[in-house]
Amino acid sequence: QVQLVESGGGLVQAGGSLRLSCAASGRTFSRSVTGWFRQAPDKEREFIAASWSGRRTSYADSVKGRFTISRDNAKNTVYLQMNSLKPEDTAVYYCALDASGLGSRYTYWGQGTQVTVSS
């Protein structure tokens, strides 16, 4: 069983930065795909970024160039560096893990961390 715990959310002014962390338990982290998603009020959950076990990453167009996903396999932790934040980035952010390595089967989810960007 895998447990994911996010941290690092908070309130920031537009243009500011935040770094989210997600610590994972379990032995499959290094081979897994890790992803970040977000859900704003009254909106569907949306994909933000993903990191494969190698250096491959992918991003949603809405955050490309502003957000960076990274991982430390030795610490079983994935990070999301968020720069140039906008009010529309306000949402609950979730990390997720796909143990299959395919990037399409996220079966483990964290509890979420709130990010609020004020204008």
Side-chain angles (χ1 to χ4, degrees), residues 5-12 17-23 35-38 48 67-71 77-83 85 89 91-95 112-116:
V5 179
E6 300 103 334
S7 61
L11 173 65
V12 63
S17 298
L18 281 175
R19 188 193 195 201
L20 305 183
S21 300
C22 175
W36 286 96
F37 295 76
R38 69 186 181 188
I48 296 299
F67 291 9
T68 303
I69 188 171
S70 61
R71 61 196 290 166
T77 301
V78 60
Y79 305 95
L80 185 68
Q81 178 67 43
M82 305 185 294
N83 298 328
L85 283 162
D89 293 319
V92 177
Y93 283 69
Y94 300 90
C95 68
T113 186
Q114 176 71 46
V115 172
T116 303

Side-chain angles (χ1 to χ4, degrees), residues 15-100:
S17 298
L18 281 175
R19 188 193 195 201
L20 305 183
S21 300
C22 175
S25 64
R27 302 179 182 179
T28 64
F29 182 86
S30 63
R31 301 186 301 275
S32 300
V33 181
T34 55
W36 286 96
F37 295 76
R38 69 186 181 188
Q39 187 166 19
D42 300 322
K43 291 189 177 180
E44 297 289 321
R45 184 174 61 195
E46 63 172 336
F47 166 79
I48 296 299
S51 170
W52 275 254
S53 58
R55 294 187 177 183
R56 177 187 172 192
T57 58
S58 65
Y59 296 91
D61 288 342
S62 59
V63 305
K64 199 171 294 183
R66 299 188 298 123
F67 291 9
T68 303
I69 188 171
S70 61
R71 61 196 290 166
D72 185 336
N73 289 334
K75 296 182 178 180
N76 277 15
T77 301
V78 60
Y79 305 95
L80 185 68
Q81 178 67 43
M82 305 185 294
N83 298 328
S84 302
L85 283 162
K86 305 175 182 179
E88 51 263 43
D89 293 319
T90 295
V92 177
Y93 283 69
Y94 300 90
C95 68
L97 188 144
D98 173 2
S100 75

